[in-house]
Amino acid sequence: MCGIVGYIGPADAKHILLDGLRKLEYRGYDSAGLAIQQAGELAIRKRQGKIDRLAGELDLAPVEGMVGIGHTRWATHGAPSDDNAHPHVDCAGRMAVVHNGIIENYLALRESLEGRGHQFRSETDTEVFAHLIESHYAGDLYAAVVAALREVVGSYALVVMSLDAPDTLIAARQHSPLILGHGEQEQFIASDVPAVLAYTRKVTYLQNGEVAVLNRDGVRITRLDGTEVSRDISIVAWDAAAAEKGGYKHFMLKEINEQPTALEETLRGRISEDGAQITLPGLKLSPAQLSAISRVLIIACGTAYHAGLVGKYAIEQLARLPVEIDVASELRYRDPIIDEGTLAIVISQSGETADTQAGLHEARDKGAHVLAVTNVVGSSVDRDADSVLYTYAGPEIAVASTKAYTTQLMVMYLTALYLAQERGTMPDEARIQLIDAVRRIPSQTQTILEGQEAIHSLADRFDEIHSSLFLGRGVNFPTALEGALKLKEISYIHAEGYAAGEMKHGPIALITPQCPTVAVAVPGGVYDKMLSNIKEVKARAGHVIAVGAEGDGELHKYADDVIRIPRTVELFTPVLAAVPLQLLAYYCADNLGMDIDQPRNLAKSVTVE
Ligand code: G6P
């Protein structure tokens, strides 16, 4: 998730681009850059770091012009650096591109272009676009861009500017957002509305597979096959603050709703086209190393720890490796048994949590192969690990983790499936069925989100509540822990996550009509046990809200309220079950008027012990 801005018109492009980038900084902030046509040349300025560093550079080396493109980066390929910052240019330095998304086949394209003499200056997938368009250019920029897009597999929002077509910007979209803003004799392009709102409220939303050609006096939109598209202009009614949150009241709600896309991005390029194999190039273990692994140790904090707990179930069940898991702050003081046969998996959204980093170093120093699962390219755990698998969730702004969690779960499933595949611990047929189920998760998540109003109504029950219980068993015991954590951290209602079978050893004493129980009871090996636990709560006059599967005709006979999630295999239910619990926590906190995105006493990233 990066931020893109483009401008063509009569005004000072630098000012408009910088202003737009600042409005998009929530989309990424590890580096920024812009390219402006200045006296028949492309002036490029780019800097690692926040947009103020780029602004400082522009003070030292000013540029002036009326056509330009800008970018604020959230790294996916290549660490944050001046060289990897966008825009990227072709060999001749006559064309510049900015891009948001992931090009899956960039390595093959890069090798082919290098074989034909193209010189690359960065490690990014984006730079492939600049050289690919250059290789196709024969006097018609639009034709060259379309030809390049036909060769690319992946997701993109792309804007291209060339000295050979000085009065034109070309933009294209596939799975990454782009909007066009329309002014008087000026056109804007951006990843999101806030970047243009100071200049115009007239926007066009570009759709997948579309290419836009922008001139000062208008925009022409086509599909990749050249067919003209006509689209009505929309008038944006949001104010600037709402626009930054995509019209949502809080970043947390926006991020909850981004999960289908985040999960899709996390899957992208990691499943073979025939749906039979998992490919994880980030996991740098040779076949000999893979078969030498004797155990897995998972290290994480907070929500990431809950993702690790689900990972334990997945890896043990599918790859038949023993998995131990520890919160990082405990691991570092207990002299853990770690050796060369250990695969240590370190999970951290930020990649900067101090305890998690200490755990990583301990594991590495004792000879383990360290796999980092992180959302931030170039973060400390990314740099210090032997292997890295990214969660492509994009920046998570709200303190309470949502889309980072579900994408961490997705990476855990992919890792378990990959280890099973490489170690031959499950039949191909069974693996293919699970891969098929994994691929359906993003759209199933979308289905849950479409029913969020029902969860909003359920949250009203918590207005007068001071304490609650969250119960789950097996792979959904972590779901109960995560559901309780979400509720307590943003609503300040006490919430206890418990293994349902353990309830009778203590928490059952808490049950009263004023202490509701949320029970995850999805079809699978522990379903009947969960029904028994729900009955135990009901027998003590407790109120039960159950999370169950679509089409389950039993559950409503026992629970007071039932939240339905689409059916999937039991192992994957934690991703789907997490979503209604996030929404429940969100609406409870919102009803109570809490500061949802920045709850008291909490920090997004805990960089001290
Ligand atoms: C903080 C955040 C949590 C997060 C935890 C671990 O407590 O508030 O949302 O789960 O740190 O953070 P990490 O960046 O390592 O995943």
Side-chain angles (χ1 to χ4, degrees):
M1 201 158 125
C2 306
I4 286 178
V5 195
Y7 176 75
I8 181 164
D12 172 20
K14 174 191 66 184
H15 171 75
I16 290 169
L17 296 179
L18 268 183
D19 187 37
L21 291 179
R22 286 201 169 95
K23 301 277 172 26
L24 295 180
E25 212 169 6
Y26 70 89
R27 297 182 61 86
Y29 38 76
D30 62 44
S31 41
L34 47 77
I36 288 176
Q37 290 183 38
Q38 175 175 257
E41 290 192 358
L42 279 190
I44 311 268
R45 304 284 185 272
K46 47 191 199 173
R47 275 284 168 270
Q48 182 186 347
K50 294 210 166 192
I51 288 158
D52 282 345
R53 285 202 68 203
L54 173 65
E57 168 76 8
L58 283 160
D59 287 342
L60 293 175
V63 290
E64 235 176 82
M66 294 175 292
V67 183
I69 57 179
H71 189 269
T72 175
R73 182 167 186 247
W74 177 258
T76 55
H77 291 83
S81 68
D82 290 352
D83 285 342
N84 288 337
H86 300 213
H88 292 287
V89 293
D90 62 349
C91 292
R94 295 188 62 77
M95 189 223 310
V97 301
V98 288
H99 162 234
N100 168 33
I102 298 172
I103 303 307
E104 291 167 33
N105 58 339
Y106 87 100
L107 274 178
L109 289 171
R110 180 173 174 143
E111 272 168 27
S112 149
L113 286 158
E114 283 177 334
R116 287 181 271 149
H118 287 265
Q119 304 274 333
F120 281 71
R121 303 174 184 91
S122 77
E123 301 155 314
T124 62
D125 52 345
T126 301
E127 196 182 346
V128 157
F129 269 123
H131 296 283
L132 204 53
I133 296 168
E134 181 177 38
S135 76
H136 284 290
Y137 184 71
D140 181 344
L141 185 61
Y142 170 82
V145 171
V146 168
L149 294 176
R150 286 184 196 286
E151 288 189 53
V152 159
V153 178
S155 60
Y156 52 78
L158 175 77
V159 186
V160 184
M161 179 176 76
S162 169
L163 293 176
D164 295 316
D167 296 321
T168 306
L169 292 178
I170 298 189
R173 175 200 157 131
Q174 183 69 9
H175 302 306
S176 295
L178 263 190
I179 59 122
L180 312 171
H182 313 289
E184 284 298 318
Q185 288 299 301
E186 60 182 357
Q187 307 296 329
F188 306 82
I189 184 132
S191 298
D192 204 352
V193 171
V196 305
L197 214 50
Y199 309 100
T200 181
R201 290 187 169 269
K202 292 185 197 164
V203 302
T204 305
Y205 294 90
L206 212 60
Q207 306 294 323
N208 287 339
E210 291 180 351
V211 184
V213 181
L214 290 81
N215 303 116
R216 282 182 180 77
D217 50 7
V219 175
R220 190 179 133 243
I221 304 175
T222 70
R223 300 201 57 78
L224 275 188
D225 63 8
T227 326
E228 296 270 342
V229 174
S230 85
R231 170 119 348 101
D232 290 341
I233 289 175
S234 309
I235 307 293
V236 178
W238 305 328
D239 64 20
E244 198 186 24
K245 297 179 190 117
Y248 293 102
K249 191 170 173 188
H250 295 98
F251 277 110
M252 182 180 176
L253 188 58
K254 174 172 181 269
E255 288 160 6
I256 289 172
N257 280 281
E258 283 170 353
Q259 289 178 109
T261 310
L263 289 162
E264 198 72 70
E265 287 299 308
T266 302
L267 277 179
R268 193 174 297 290
R270 287 169 166 169
I271 295 176
S272 63
E273 268 182 33
D274 62 3
Q277 302 279 326
I278 302 289
T279 46
L280 296 178
L283 187 47
K284 297 192 165 41
L285 285 169
S286 65
Q289 285 175 303
L290 272 166
S291 56
I293 295 171
S294 56
R295 59 194 283 273
V296 175
L297 170 64
I298 301 180
I299 307 163
C301 297
T303 288
Y305 170 74
H306 298 155
L309 284 173
V310 175
K312 172 181 163 72
Y313 282 89
I315 294 169
E316 288 189 340
Q317 186 177 319
L318 304 183
R320 308 307 299 155
L321 279 164
V323 181
E324 192 185 354
I325 170 159
D326 232 327
V327 282
S329 52
E330 287 298 315
L331 178 100
R332 64 191 296 188
Y333 295 113
R334 75 166 171 86
D335 194 16
I337 298 162
I338 299 171
D339 58 22
E340 285 79 11
T342 305
L343 171 64
I345 304 180
V346 171
I347 310 173
S348 174
Q349 186 283 129
S350 63
E352 301 296 346
T353 303
D355 286 324
T356 307
Q357 284 190 58
L360 182 157
H361 295 145
E362 170 113 25
R364 201 188 52 189
D365 294 348
K366 288 187 163 161
H369 181 98
V370 177
L371 163 64
V373 176
T374 183
N375 197 33
V376 182
V377 177
S379 60
S380 298
V381 307
D382 179 359
R383 292 196 305 269
D384 293 349
D386 302 300
S387 292
V388 185
L389 294 175
Y390 299 113
T391 50
Y392 292 109
E396 197 177 58
I397 310 283
V399 165
S401 185
T402 54
K403 61 178 181 171
Y405 176 63
T406 47
T407 53
Q408 284 162 355
L409 292 182
M410 188 58 100
V411 172
M412 287 294 100
Y413 295 139
L414 293 172
T415 304
L417 283 163
Y418 178 78
L419 291 174
Q421 167 187 300
E422 298 302 305
R423 293 169 57 87
T425 50
M426 65 189 294
D428 289 351
E429 189 65 14
R431 187 185 66 247
I432 290 167
Q433 279 177 10
L434 289 183
I435 291 176
D436 188 45
V438 157
R439 289 166 106 171
R440 286 203 296 271
I441 289 175
S443 63
Q444 291 178 318
T445 306
Q446 182 61 41
T447 306
I448 298 170
L449 292 170
E450 282 159 14
Q452 57 191 282
E453 265 317 301
I455 299 167
H456 194 168
S457 321
L458 276 181
D460 297 343
R461 293 193 191 289
F462 283 73
D463 287 357
E464 306 287 320
I465 294 300
H466 300 291
S467 190
S468 59
L469 265 182
F470 283 69
L471 300 179
R473 297 183 84 123
V475 73
N476 280 304
F477 167 43
T479 308
L481 295 177
E482 177 61 11
L485 177 62
K486 284 290 89 80
L487 183 67
K488 72 183 127 190
E489 66 183 340
I490 59 169
S491 73
Y492 317 144
I493 296 170
H494 171 247
E496 204 155 334
Y498 236 78
E502 190 69 4
M503 178 182 64
K504 52 189 160 300
H505 300 293
I508 202 164
L510 295 175
I511 292 169
T512 65
Q514 286 72 44
C515 173
T517 296
V518 178
V520 185
V522 291
V526 291
Y527 177 72
D528 290 340
K529 304 280 174 206
M530 277 306 303
L531 289 188
S532 303
N533 296 131
I534 289 172
K535 284 185 219 164
E536 285 164 9
V537 176
K538 288 304 302 167
R540 282 144 189 98
H543 184 98
V544 175
I545 298 169
V547 177
E550 261 168 13
D552 178 339
E554 281 295 297
L555 199 50
H556 71 276
K557 297 177 190 162
Y558 305 96
D560 298 281
D561 299 291
V562 180
I563 301 171
R564 306 275 175 189
I565 58 171
R567 281 189 182 252
T568 182
V569 291
E570 187 181 18
L571 187 60
F572 302 150
T573 51
V575 189
L576 301 182
V579 179
L581 299 189
Q582 295 164 352
L583 287 163
L584 187 66
Y586 172 81
Y587 287 119
C588 288
D590 193 40
N591 283 349
L592 296 170
M594 298 305 179
D595 185 359
I596 291 183
D597 286 335
Q598 289 173 324
R600 70 182 178 212
N601 306 339
L602 293 176
K604 182 71 188 155
S605 179
V606 182
T607 53
V608 292
E609 194 183 344

